[in-house]
Amino acid sequence: AYAGNLQCLILANALCGIGSGALSLAINTWAASYEEESLQNKGFIHINAAYLAGLNCGTVIGSVICDNLGIKVTFFVGAIASIVLMVLSCLVIGKVNVEDDVDEEDAGSLKDLVSPAVIRYFLFLIVPYLICTGFLEYFFPIVAEGEGLSATHISLAFLLSGLISIYMGSLLTEPLTQKMGTKKTMILASFIYVAALTYLVINPSIISCYIVVVLFAFADSFGLSAQAVYFSTMPDVKKAGQSKALGVNSTVE
């Protein structure tokens, strides 16, 4: 809120990124520690649902505050929410017993992750997904603002995306992975990403952008959990250790 120039704002955002990365690593490691794939699936489904639910509420509430009270007040509200989050986390985490079934002494090194299978995963699954994520976080707001839409209207796209991902993820992820398998489920999600972007190229408009947001959310609803389960069950990942592998995954993202 007190950033006087762009450099200070970037530094502040970097600090937020460090905290977000540490939290993401801890939570995903927790879900990946389950040996049964079905339990991993449920863990990642709930993590994604909780993340998207919070993101939706924050985006909508933040846009309303921004439109009515200004950007600086929005930052202050975010800071207060972060403090409340830390307090609640300290209270809740003490009541949860998590057993780490990964023996770090027997785990391999980061060199084990430099394999053709892991490299293909990052190049052909993570990178395309991040490009699609960039659409909602960067491209869409720029286009929408150019069309004269307010922050409140732009946040509706985030709300729509999150609602679809949350509810469709709970309904679709387990049935799809059971019938098609994790790999084919990821391929289906990737096909939807490609089809959505192709449609936008053929018919560029603000309405098409909203349609792409819906298609991306539909693919995210089952694609994200399938990606997480697939990565955590790869032989090279198990050899290197879950924490190290998920840390590399967060670094790539």
Side-chain angles (χ1 to χ4, degrees), residues 12-86:
N13 202 37
L15 293 174
C16 290
I18 293 172
S20 177
L23 181 61
S24 175
L25 176 61
I27 294 177
N28 286 320
T29 301
W30 188 5
S33 64
Y34 288 106
E35 293 184 358
E36 296 181 25
E37 187 173 310
S38 60
L39 293 177
Q40 289 182 355
N41 236 329
K42 289 182 179 180
F44 287 119
I45 289 171
H46 289 302
I47 288 171
N48 290 330
Y51 168 75
L52 292 170
L55 181 64
N56 287 337
C57 293
T59 303
V60 175
I61 295 172
S63 64
V64 173
I65 295 174
C66 183
D67 282 343
N68 292 277
L69 301 175
I71 295 177
K72 184 171 289 190
V73 176
T74 309
F75 281 129
F76 283 129
V77 173
I80 294 172
S82 298
I83 294 173
V84 173
L85 170 65
M86 287 186 287

Side-chain angles (χ1 to χ4, degrees), residues 2 4 7 25 37 39 41 65-66 71 101 109 145 153 155 160 167 169 173 187-188 216 219 232 238:
Y2 289 109
Q7 286 74 22
L25 176 61
E37 187 173 310
L39 293 177
N41 236 329
I65 295 174
C66 183
I71 295 177
D101 56 2
S109 63
E145 189 176 18
H153 287 93
S155 70
L160 181 64
Y167 290 106
T173 305
I187 293 174
L188 175 61
F216 279 179
S232 62
K238 289 186 176 181

Side-chain angles (χ1 to χ4, degrees), residues 149-177:
L149 298 181
S150 66
T152 301
H153 287 93
I154 294 173
S155 70
L156 291 177
F158 286 83
L159 177 61
L160 181 64
S161 173
L163 289 174
I164 294 173
S165 296
I166 292 168
Y167 290 106
M168 297 306 293
S170 301
L171 294 173
L172 294 176
T173 305
E174 287 190 73
L176 283 175
T177 53

Side-chain angles (χ1 to χ4, degrees), residues 208-232:
S208 297
C209 286
Y210 275 101
I211 293 175
V212 171
V213 168
V214 171
L215 291 174
F216 279 179
F218 182 73
D220 286 347
S221 66
F222 55 86
L224 294 183
S225 297
Q227 283 184 15
V229 172
Y230 179 79
F231 181 72
S232 62

